[in-house]
Amino acid sequence: MTTRAGLAGLAAALALALPGCGGGDGGATVATTVTAPATTTGPSPATSTPVTGIERLDVGNGARSAVVFRPRGGPQPPPGVLFLHGWGGVDPTYYRAWIRHLVRQGNEVIYPRYQTGAVSLPGLALPNAIAGTRAALRRAPIAPGSLVVAGHSAGGAMAADYAAVAAGRGLPPARAVFAIYPGRRLKGVPLGIPEVDPARIPAGTQLLALAGARDTVVGAATARRTVARATRVPASAKRFVLVRDPRVSEHLAPLSPRPAARRTFWAPLDRLIVRARAR
């Protein structure tokens, strides 16, 4: 049974991992537009049609809500990327530069909030993420067979969980999973996100899991275990990578838009998207 003291301890620990994490409140579906340059820093893996702007949709309510970022001027419906944030990172501003990059490549990015702040029950994280994803897909459909799932920290662990349960929940299958520094609990914190058996990840899924050599928040165990236990995925389609570059091997490095982070995190996801959708 979860106690208030246990949740308070979890929130305090997570505040150290994700400084400034705050709550977010979902409301009725709204749409706004953010101007984005039409040019990109390389060829687009999703479309050759210039993206002239980014449309934002907020769907659902509370922890079961999601934010959708869609390209203006791209294909309709666009291919999709499900982006699962780290614990407490309900505000997409934390990953703003990376999200914009993905949308400028022609992707629709679905960002489930899955919680209202750091003090949330870990056992509700995946069900809430699924509910937010459903709300997003109802409002903003994606191209069939295009979904790639990426996640950081808690979101990295849930990216694998989504791939394992999607078929049974009537959700779009994950063509590929990119788990970045995944973790289900912090060291010394008893509460954690329940694991869905990675052996349930379908054989046709590509799987890439990264762990940071200097990640003292979650370590490398979850990333290694996810790849090892995804037994239905052929060895040629799954990979574990230990990131040793000191500039990007700490837990919060994926939030950075600097060149080293782009090479380490953005570029592999771009390549994974291309490979997954080419199959």
Side-chain angles (χ1 to χ4, degrees), residues 42-264:
S44 166
T47 177
S48 59
T49 305
V51 173
T52 58
I54 299 173
E55 179 184 26
R56 171 175 172 153
L57 307 171
D58 288 81
V59 300
N61 293 281
R64 297 166 71 85
S65 67
V67 185
V68 179
F69 299 91
R70 308 190 90 204
R72 287 191 179 277
Q76 297 298 324
V81 173
L82 179 60
F83 197 107
L84 296 165
H85 62 76
W87 191 263
V90 295
D91 186 343
T93 300
Y94 291 117
Y95 304 92
R96 176 173 56 191
W98 197 353
I99 291 171
R100 286 186 174 181
H101 167 78
L102 290 167
V103 179
R104 289 170 183 167
Q105 301 283 39
N107 298 287
E108 172 180 312
V109 175
I110 299 171
Y111 191 95
R113 287 194 172 99
Y114 78 76
Q115 54 184 160
T116 54
V119 182
S120 299
L121 291 173
L124 295 179
L126 182 61
N128 287 342
I130 287 173
T133 301
R134 287 191 192 281
L137 291 170
R138 283 195 298 267
R139 179 66 178 85
I142 62 173
S146 68
L147 186 66
V148 172
V149 185
H152 170 226
S153 190
M158 287 196 296
D161 293 342
Y162 175 94
V165 304
R169 305 291 180 88
L171 292 164
R175 300 294 298 272
V177 170
F178 187 36
I180 311 135
Y181 298 0
R184 297 185 181 276
R185 59 175 51 83
L186 299 174
K187 294 179 180 178
V189 178
L191 302 177
I193 297 170
E195 180 185 63
V196 179
D197 187 355
R200 294 173 58 184
I201 299 175
T205 311
Q206 296 190 52
L207 174 60
L208 174 60
L210 272 56
R214 300 174 66 191
D215 187 344
T216 60
V217 177
V218 300
T222 300
R224 290 184 186 275
R225 183 173 61 248
T226 299
V227 173
R229 295 187 179 179
T231 53
R232 294 175 61 187
V233 180
S236 60
K238 62 181 181 179
R239 187 182 179 201
F240 165 81
V241 175
L242 182 64
V243 177
R244 299 183 182 277
D245 184 338
R247 296 171 297 177
V248 287
S249 58
E250 294 181 344
H251 191 67
L252 296 184
L255 278 67
S256 171
R258 294 183 177 179
R262 293 178 184 232
R263 290 191 297 270
T264 305

Side-chain angles (χ1 to χ4, degrees), residues 29 213 220:
T29 301

